[in-house]
Amino acid sequence: MTAFSLEPERLAWCARLRALAAERLRPLAEEGAPGRVNRPLVAELGTLGLLPRLFTSGALDLCLMRESLAHGCTEAETALALQGLGAHPVHAHGAEELRARWLPRVADGTAIAAFALSEPGAGSDAAALALTADPDGPGRWRLTGEKRWISNAPEADFYTVFARTTAGAGARGVTAFLVPADRPGLTGTALDMLSPHPVGALSLDAVPVRADDLLGEVDRGFRVAMGTLNLFRPSVGAFAVGMARAALDATLEHTAGREAFGGRLSDLQAVSHQVAEMALRTESARLMVYAAAAAYDAGAPDVPRRAAMAKLLATETAQYVVDRAVQLHGARALQRGHLLEHLYREVRAPRVYEGASEVQRDIIAKELYKSLESR
């Protein structure tokens, strides 16, 4: 198989996921409170067997899951992705005891995971982490500092926390820990965000951790973070492609049936050319996402560049497509509860989280010049 053609079995699976998103997950999402973890929705993802696939799927299948779910229920897509983002470091770097304790509960939807990297002064510059892990005896530390813009906080059951273990060492002095939510000194508050995702801030006041909580090696946690992001960045693009496709499909239906100026909107060249551009950009983004995911699965050396390109193109494309869809629908798309009103709020965040668009451009440029130097 190539990155540009999916087998019939995969296409059929994607169609089933879109149907499940609309029929079984959307009703649960609508019953949830905006900005809060929707535990019944997460549990249903486990019941449907989607959460266990986070630990058995390659990057391409992860992209297909996220794209398909996003088309019918963005909340379900986000719930799935956040479980994967928070738990992947445990799956890839945790000791067997940690894996046995937490991963089955993540997979069945009874434990909520969170990825705690960003801080008030270290968003895009992830290597500038200030939260400290101070030694507290052999194999023990105390975590002190703040985390902010953490998805699933403060309601998660455990957090993958990145802390500074060596001062002044930049990316080389960061360590990853698994921190259960009931550890003394760990508190949090919810943040009211533009999109309806659960996002919060964490305060860590001498929170105790030990060697058993390590994810990977001491001072090697930045690799844990970047490895996780390299896997999930193409699938952020897949989330964006799913939203773009939903907006495009809604626009096709609307413009084909809407009577205006003595005919249908689709008869107007000014409209049909915009729809064509929306389709062109969406398909281009989809292909780049699939290519980046296939490169990851193949162990290609240029994954960071491809992943950055996929996330950048897809998220910027989705912003354009949703905006055009709103414009072509008119005032009805601005009404609270309309699909496009919902997508308009959802589509903005992916251009910021897991590396803002500007960061992706920086990664792409650095990787290009690095390849030039190695020739």
Side-chain angles (χ1 to χ4, degrees):
M1 182 214 112
T2 72
F4 309 100
S5 177
L6 298 177
E7 307 96 325
E9 295 80 8
R10 269 191 165 124
L11 292 173
W13 179 56
C14 290
R16 288 196 299 273
L17 287 180
R18 289 194 296 271
L20 286 172
E23 297 166 9
R24 294 184 59 173
L25 299 173
R26 166 54 51 195
L28 290 172
E30 291 174 347
E31 293 173 3
R36 299 292 302 275
V37 172
N38 187 330
R39 288 183 180 266
L41 178 62
V42 176
E44 185 67 7
L45 288 168
T47 299
L48 293 174
L50 298 180
L51 293 177
R53 295 188 73 126
L54 290 168
F55 308 118
T56 59
S57 296
L60 181 57
D61 280 346
L62 176 60
C63 287
L64 296 179
M65 279 197 291
R66 294 191 68 176
E67 178 187 338
S68 300
L69 291 179
H71 186 275
C73 181
T74 58
E75 295 92 339
E77 184 284 332
T78 299
L80 176 99
L82 295 182
Q83 288 290 86
L85 188 65
H88 180 265
V90 184
H91 168 70
H93 302 281
E96 185 56 38
E97 182 181 349
L98 285 181
R99 290 163 53 87
R101 178 182 177 186
W102 290 108
L103 295 184
R105 294 181 59 197
V106 171
D108 67 17
T110 59
I112 303 299
F115 185 81
L117 178 63
S118 296
E119 298 179 6
S124 294
D125 186 6
L129 296 181
L131 187 145
T132 59
D134 299 314
D136 189 39
R140 294 180 178 274
W141 297 264
R142 294 273 180 173
L143 305 183
T144 301
E146 306 288 331
K147 293 291 182 180
R148 197 168 182 86
W149 305 296
I150 306 304
S151 294
N152 282 344
E155 300 177 74
D157 297 299
F158 72 90
Y159 300 89
T160 294
V161 176
F162 297 88
R164 179 154 304 286
T165 38
T166 299
R172 298 178 183 275
V174 173
T175 302
F177 298 93
L178 187 152
V179 182
D182 60 0
R183 286 284 167 89
L186 176 60
T187 58
T189 57
L191 299 174
D192 189 10
M193 308 294 285
L194 174 66
S195 62
H197 302 170
V199 177
L202 298 173
S203 177
L204 294 89
D205 183 9
V207 175
V209 290
R210 52 188 181 272
D212 293 345
D213 300 315
L214 280 171
L215 299 175
E217 302 174 41
V218 174
D219 284 347
R220 304 289 288 271
F222 197 71
R223 292 189 177 186
V224 175
M226 293 303 105
T228 302
L229 293 176
N230 281 338
L231 170 61
F232 277 85
R233 274 178 178 148
S235 69
V236 174
F239 172 36
V241 168
M243 288 190 287
R245 185 67 225 191
L248 175 60
D249 288 349
T251 304
L252 284 168
E253 184 175 349
H254 172 70
T255 55
R258 172 72 168 169
E259 296 287 338
F261 307 107
R264 292 177 298 183
L265 280 180
S266 58
D267 295 330
L268 299 175
Q269 189 179 76
V271 171
S272 63
H273 282 194
Q274 288 188 67
V275 173
E277 184 70 18
M278 292 162 66
L280 172 67
R281 295 195 189 195
T282 299
E283 188 64 13
S284 298
R286 185 203 305 271
L287 295 176
M288 181 160 280
V289 166
Y290 290 0
Y296 184 97
D297 289 339
D302 58 350
V303 165
R305 175 176 61 84
R306 286 181 175 270
M309 284 181 166
K311 180 184 186 293
L312 174 62
L313 179 65
T315 55
E316 296 286 342
T317 292
Q319 182 80 55
Y320 170 85
V321 171
V322 171
D323 184 75
R324 288 293 87 203
V326 169
Q327 194 70 19
L328 291 173
H329 275 74
R332 59 179 43 81
L334 302 177
Q335 186 172 351
R336 185 73 70 179
H338 193 282
L339 169 66
L340 291 172
E341 180 271 336
H342 171 76
L343 291 177
Y344 202 78
R345 287 183 290 112
E346 284 271 23
V347 79
R348 188 59 183 87
R351 292 171 62 205
V352 174
Y353 66 59
E354 295 187 40
S357 292
E358 292 75 14
V359 171
Q360 304 312 314
R361 290 185 174 93
D362 192 48
I363 292 171
I364 293 165
K366 286 181 177 178
E367 291 295 320
L368 288 171
Y369 285 115
K370 185 189 298 183
S371 67
L372 178 65
E373 293 169 0
S374 64
R375 290 177 189 173

